[in-house]
Amino acid sequence: MLLATISFSNRLGGSMQRIAPLANATSRNTRSIGSSLHSQSHKQTPSKTHHFYSIPDSSFPQGYLATGLHCGVKKIKSTSSPPPLDLGIVLSTSPRTSAAACFTKNAFKAAPVTVSTEVLAQTGGRARALVVNSGCANAVTGKQGLRDAWDMVRTTDALLATHGATNSSGSMENQTLVMSTGVIGQLLPINTILSGIERASVSCGSQEALGFAGWEKVAKAFMTTDTFPKLRARSFELNGTTVRIAGIDKGAGMIHPNMGPPSAPHATLLGLIATDAAINPKSLQSALTYAVERSFNSISVDGDMSTNDTIVAFANGAASGLENKEEIDEEQNPEEFRIFRNELTSFAVDLAKLVVRDGEGATKFVTVTVQGAPTFEDAHKIASTVSTSSLVKCALYGEDANWGRILCAVGYTTSLSRPIDPTKISLSFIPSDGSEPLKLLTQGEPEVVDEVRAKVILEREELEIKVELGLGSEIAQYFTCDLSHEYVTINGDYRS
């Protein structure tokens, strides 16, 4: 029914057609999409470097060593600039570190994903180190790719023997999780990487490895087409103890993650979250899975799911005052677990937003909120569909209030628990300046839209699209960006 009542505009570059009856009121004074985009064809991508800033050393979790260096995977493009960092290492020195991860569901899982899944299974979630390289994804690389990933594990394990305490079992084998990001289908320069891991031992033993300087190097080693390092840290109270959490992620393109726990059969998003809270591996995995579904699985830059998407979490119990306390268990300590899970989720959302803000060529940061759904899953699916619509994203780039495209995306969302009722849907733009929402549709009836105000809202770098379904009480959010000429330029020449 929804599609039968809307006649949409032509494709990009075409003239605006009358949208009847729902969007008739909005079409009268709207410029054509073609003329709108023509005027925006040379729009500059805004600088995003202000999203990176210094963080006090005291904000970082205790019991971790972090460092990064240039080992030679990335090309040195300028002799006047420092070599790009392409190898990062984080070690936990606590013997009771818990580890958890969520991995891509892409059928072509990269070698680091397969190897890290096995490490978690072998250790029962007690891994204590992470090694990451950028510049080469080690994906679709066959048996040699797997051998290379295991070599990275073993070489980083040796750093734990030098700088870390032994774990509860006394073993130092297969304690490392692996990440790689970059071009797919090329083998790693593995000897270069292994040599870099060995050289990292010196910096792991330095004072800077304990604070911002070390974590900054790791964040830079994660980067590919990213325009700034994505690093955050904060503290919170947990059962009377101050615990700290730090996080790094990377991603700007090939971003539409769909990750699950390692027990599931299944440019890249990578992320690390490390805390000095004490929580057992099973409960950490539960909290991370919940958090990822509401954060990293709720972002999209271009709708492409990577072969390497991975989010890793460590919890080492090294916070002051936790030395003799038991690890939090989801079943035995439900209130403490809930506090931890919610803090982890909030932190993960902040990290995930950084990826969208740094979307390749992006000029807008857009929150898509779907509320009034029968289930969270329904709200999440609809928000995802709107966020990945190329027509919606092009209209956002052109700053064109073509809201019929949003309804179209809502209407073709599949596999919902209940059919959409077009007579109950409301749609609004929520300005980033806190002013009154701009109503576009109210319970299926179009509003007389102030096109001038709509244009002002869309010209800002941030806005929210709110969809009210009127079918329940569940809500979900997705974070997305626009689709620009610059995105095509970047990805048309990625390998060079």
Side-chain angles (χ1 to χ4, degrees), residues 422-442:
T423 67
K424 292 184 177 180
I425 289 184
S426 298
L427 177 66
S428 303
F429 287 155
I430 311 299
S432 59
D433 63 359
S435 60
E436 284 296 311
L438 179 63
K439 295 181 179 180
L440 307 169
L441 186 78
T442 303

Side-chain angles (χ1 to χ4, degrees), residues 39 69 87 97 142 200 254 309 339 342-343 347 472:
S39 67
L69 52 84
L87 182 67
T97 303
M254 197 180 280
D309 289 338
I339 293 170
N342 291 347
E343 289 286 350
F347 189 68

Side-chain angles (χ1 to χ4, degrees), residues 227-238:
T227 64
F228 65 91
K230 300 170 179 65
L231 173 63
R232 291 291 184 267
R234 69 167 70 157
S235 62
F236 60 96
E237 293 298 311
L238 186 60

Side-chain angles (χ1 to χ4, degrees), residues 92-106:
S92 171
T93 59
S94 170
R96 63 168 181 169
T97 303
S98 297
C102 288
F103 298 111
T104 183
K105 295 180 183 179
N106 193 308

Side-chain angles (χ1 to χ4, degrees), residues 56-352:
D57 289 348
S58 58
S59 298
F60 290 90
Q62 299 180 32
Y64 292 97
L65 303 174
T67 193
L69 52 84
H70 173 78
C71 71
V73 182
K74 289 179 181 174
K75 300 175 183 176
I76 298 177
K77 296 184 177 181
S78 172
T79 57
S80 61
S81 301
L85 304 189
D86 52 18
L87 182 67
I89 294 171
V90 175
L91 310 175
S92 171
T93 59
S94 170
R96 63 168 181 169
T97 303
S98 297
C102 288
F103 298 111
T104 183
K105 295 180 183 179
N106 193 308
F108 287 94
K109 291 183 286 293
V113 171
T114 300
V115 168
S116 292
T117 301
E118 291 186 29
V119 168
L120 285 172
Q122 291 176 14
T123 63
R126 290 294 182 182
R128 296 191 297 123
L130 173 73
V131 59
V132 56
N133 77 269
S134 54
C136 181
N138 194 12
V140 198
T141 47
K143 294 178 181 178
Q144 184 60 49
L146 290 170
R147 286 193 288 268
D148 290 345
W150 278 114
D151 283 344
M152 292 173 69
V153 169
R154 285 186 282 270
T155 307
T156 309
D157 285 346
L159 293 186
L160 277 171
T162 303
H163 299 284
T166 57
N167 63 15
S168 54
S169 68
S171 172
M172 299 301 289
E173 294 184 356
N174 297 348
Q175 297 285 300
T176 299
L177 303 179
V178 188
M179 292 180 181
S180 296
T181 180
V183 178
I184 295 171
Q186 296 183 359
L187 289 173
L188 292 171
I190 190 61
N191 291 332
T192 296
I193 291 174
L194 299 182
S195 174
I197 294 172
E198 292 170 353
R199 286 191 286 117
S201 181
V202 175
S203 52
C204 281
S206 68
Q207 186 65 29
E208 76 169 25
L210 300 171
F212 173 75
W215 286 91
E216 179 189 19
K217 287 183 176 180
V218 178
K220 288 181 176 179
F222 267 66
M223 296 169 63
T224 51
T225 58
D226 307 65
T227 64
F228 65 91
K230 300 170 179 65
L231 173 63
R232 291 291 184 267
R234 69 167 70 157
S235 62
F236 60 96
E237 293 298 311
L238 186 60
N239 198 22
T241 300
T242 299
V243 297
R244 295 167 181 82
I245 187 168
I248 294 168
D249 60 2
K250 65 83 51 187
M254 197 180 280
I255 302 296
H256 186 78
N258 184 16
M259 295 178 282
S263 58
H266 45 53
T268 300
L269 183 138
L270 299 180
L272 164 67
I273 299 175
T275 178
D276 53 15
I279 181 167
N280 66 36
K282 181 180 178 181
S283 300
L284 180 62
Q285 183 65 63
S286 175
L288 182 65
T289 302
Y290 179 94
V292 164
E293 187 64 17
R294 288 156 178 79
S295 56
F296 296 104
N297 279 3
S298 296
I299 62 174
S300 186
V301 169
D302 47 24
D304 280 295
M305 185 201 310
S306 171
T307 56
N308 293 56
D309 289 338
T310 303
I311 302 295
V312 166
F314 291 124
N316 67 4
S320 178
L322 293 182
E323 296 84 355
N324 300 314
K325 289 188 178 181
E326 293 292 321
E327 293 175 319
I328 291 172
D329 180 272
E330 181 176 4
E331 295 180 359
Q332 309 243 343
N333 318 103
E335 182 58 24
E336 289 89 344
F337 173 80
R338 183 190 64 80
I339 293 170
F340 175 82
R341 185 196 66 186
N342 291 347
E343 289 286 350
L344 180 66
T345 301
S346 172
F347 189 68
V349 168
D350 286 348
L351 284 174

